[in-house]
């Protein structure tokens, strides 16, 4: 499965002008890509303490950060490439000190110092870059910046359409020193055939094969489900040999 192509369309999701036009059209509305916080909460609360300094990349006009503050999170820096979105969100949340907003390109976050965040949360931003021009280069620049900004022991939580065959080659680059745990979560409105319930728990991690793929016996109940990659930046006491997975022409 090479979802980078199938989940893209004719829009250039890596272009600020596209997002500016979209947010002007939405005129103050709110939209959460992929999953709402209520679905992601078990994963966020398990890996990101409420006292963490959190960086929300590609925040757009989503309610995710607001919902996290309501759940006890104390310090969330939100960035987006669209100045229209950022100005709108600044006005909306000007009286909520836990939420801060800055216009910024995730491929260059040099405004922030090294190791300045405990957690980075990405709900569709890497996917947007993978739909743009020079996708592998953009992805490398973004992930390099994420790794730089994370403190040792920090968490990069990626929520994406990309299965391991198209995401692990990017995430497993050795300089990042990330230990990666994978989960799969159906769409919020997904209904199983016949209304039957699933026997599996979505809170159980999925074992990635040595080649960086899903296990051969893994059943993807929802073909449009989302993958959650929890990438922990290992400190000096945790460093070990991490397998890397080469990029192929199909992934590029």
């Amino acid at each position: 499965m090479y979802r980078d192509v199938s989940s893209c369309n004719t829009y250039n999701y890596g272009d600020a002008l596209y997002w500016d036009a979209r947010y002007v059209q939405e005129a103050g509305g709110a939209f959460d890509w992929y999953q709402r916080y209520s679905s992601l909460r078990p994963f966020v609360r398990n890996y990101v303490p409420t006292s963490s300094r959190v960086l929300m990349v590609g925040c757009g006009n989503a309610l995710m950060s607001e919902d996290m503050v309501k759940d006890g999170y104390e310090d969330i820096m939100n960035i987006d490439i669209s100045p229209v979105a950022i100005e709108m969100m600044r006005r909306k949340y000007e009286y909520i000190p836990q939420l801060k907003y800055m216009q910024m390109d995730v491929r260059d976050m040099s405004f922030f110092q090294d190791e300045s965040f405990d957690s980075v949360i990405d709900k569709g931003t890497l996917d947007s870059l993978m739909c743009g021009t020079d996708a592998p280069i953009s992805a490398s620049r973004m992930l390099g910046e994420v790794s730089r900004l994370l403190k040792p022991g920090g968490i990069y939580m990626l929520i994406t359409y990309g299965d391991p065959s198209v995401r692990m080659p990017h995430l497993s680059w050795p300089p990042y020193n990330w230990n990666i745990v994978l989960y799969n979560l159906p769409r919020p409105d997904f209904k199983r055939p016949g209304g039957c319930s699933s026997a599996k728990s979505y809170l159980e991690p999925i074992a990635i094969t040595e080649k960086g793929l899903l296990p051969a016996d893994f059943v993807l109940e929802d073909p449009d489900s989302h993958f959650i990659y929890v990438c922990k930046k290992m400190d000096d006491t945790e460093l070990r040999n991490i397998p890397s997975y080469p990029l192929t022409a199909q992934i590029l």
Side-chain angles (χ1 to χ4, degrees):
M1 291 183 290
Y2 296 103
R3 291 183 163 177
D4 292 64
V5 175
S6 64
S7 62
C8 297
N9 54 33
T10 56
Y11 299 121
N12 184 0
Y13 287 143
D15 187 347
L17 293 177
Y18 165 79
W19 293 109
D20 282 347
R22 176 172 179 142
Y23 292 126
V24 167
Q25 188 177 35
E26 291 182 354
F31 181 76
D32 267 284
W33 288 85
Y34 299 173
Q35 302 277 348
R36 292 289 301 271
Y37 178 64
S38 56
S39 299
L40 298 172
R41 184 179 185 272
F43 305 98
V44 175
R45 289 300 298 258
N46 188 47
Y47 288 101
V48 183
T50 55
S51 59
S52 300
R53 188 183 187 211
V54 177
L55 176 64
M56 186 74 67
V57 295
C59 63
N61 59 0
L63 296 173
M64 175 88 171
S65 295
E66 175 187 339
D67 291 341
M68 288 179 64
V69 168
K70 290 177 180 177
D71 198 26
Y73 285 87
E74 303 167 359
D75 186 358
I76 305 177
M77 171 61 73
N78 301 269
I79 66 169
D80 198 280
I81 197 171
S82 168
V84 172
I86 291 300
E87 183 57 30
M88 178 178 66
M89 298 299 271
R90 276 178 179 159
R91 291 198 303 267
K92 182 177 181 180
Y93 295 115
E94 61 180 321
Y95 299 115
I96 301 181
Q98 298 94 326
L99 295 177
K100 305 172 187 65
Y101 289 87
M102 291 188 66
Q103 190 275 328
M104 194 174 296
D105 189 327
V106 292
R107 292 165 289 192
D108 179 8
M109 297 186 281
S110 53
F111 177 86
F112 300 122
Q113 296 181 350
D114 295 359
E115 301 181 358
S116 53
F117 289 94
D118 301 293
S119 179
V120 177
I121 298 178
D122 171 4
K123 194 151 62 81
T125 299
L126 182 63
D127 285 11
S128 295
L129 293 181
M130 294 304 296
C131 290
T133 56
D134 299 322
I137 296 174
S138 291
S140 176
R141 289 172 60 190
M142 172 188 166
L143 294 174
E145 282 288 81
V146 169
S147 177
R148 179 183 68 80
L149 293 179
L150 277 178
K151 298 175 182 178
I155 295 293
Y156 170 47
M157 185 173 292
L158 168 66
I159 299 94
T160 171
Y161 271 119
D163 66 57
S165 69
V166 294
R167 288 294 175 264
M168 288 302 292
H170 297 283
L171 297 174
S172 65
W173 200 43
Y176 300 154
N177 292 329
W178 286 343
N179 184 40
I180 301 172
V181 179
L182 176 66
Y183 300 90
N184 180 256
L185 191 63
R187 291 165 295 164
D189 58 351
F190 175 69
K191 293 182 175 56
R192 297 174 187 84
C196 59
S197 60
S198 174
K200 71 163 129 180
S201 169
Y202 300 113
L203 301 180
E204 291 294 325
I206 302 167
I208 305 171
T209 70
E210 291 183 358
K211 293 184 178 180
L213 303 173
L214 290 171
D217 60 351
F218 181 79
V219 177
L220 197 62
E221 294 183 342
D222 176 8
D224 292 318
S225 60
H226 303 115
F227 291 91
I228 301 174
Y229 296 81
V230 179
C231 310
K232 180 181 179 182
K233 184 176 181 180
M234 295 186 293
D235 58 32
D236 292 341
T237 62
E238 297 175 303
L239 289 178
R240 57 181 175 175
N241 292 326
I242 306 174
S244 59
Y245 308 99
L247 294 170
T248 67
Q250 290 169 296
I251 295 173
L252 301 178

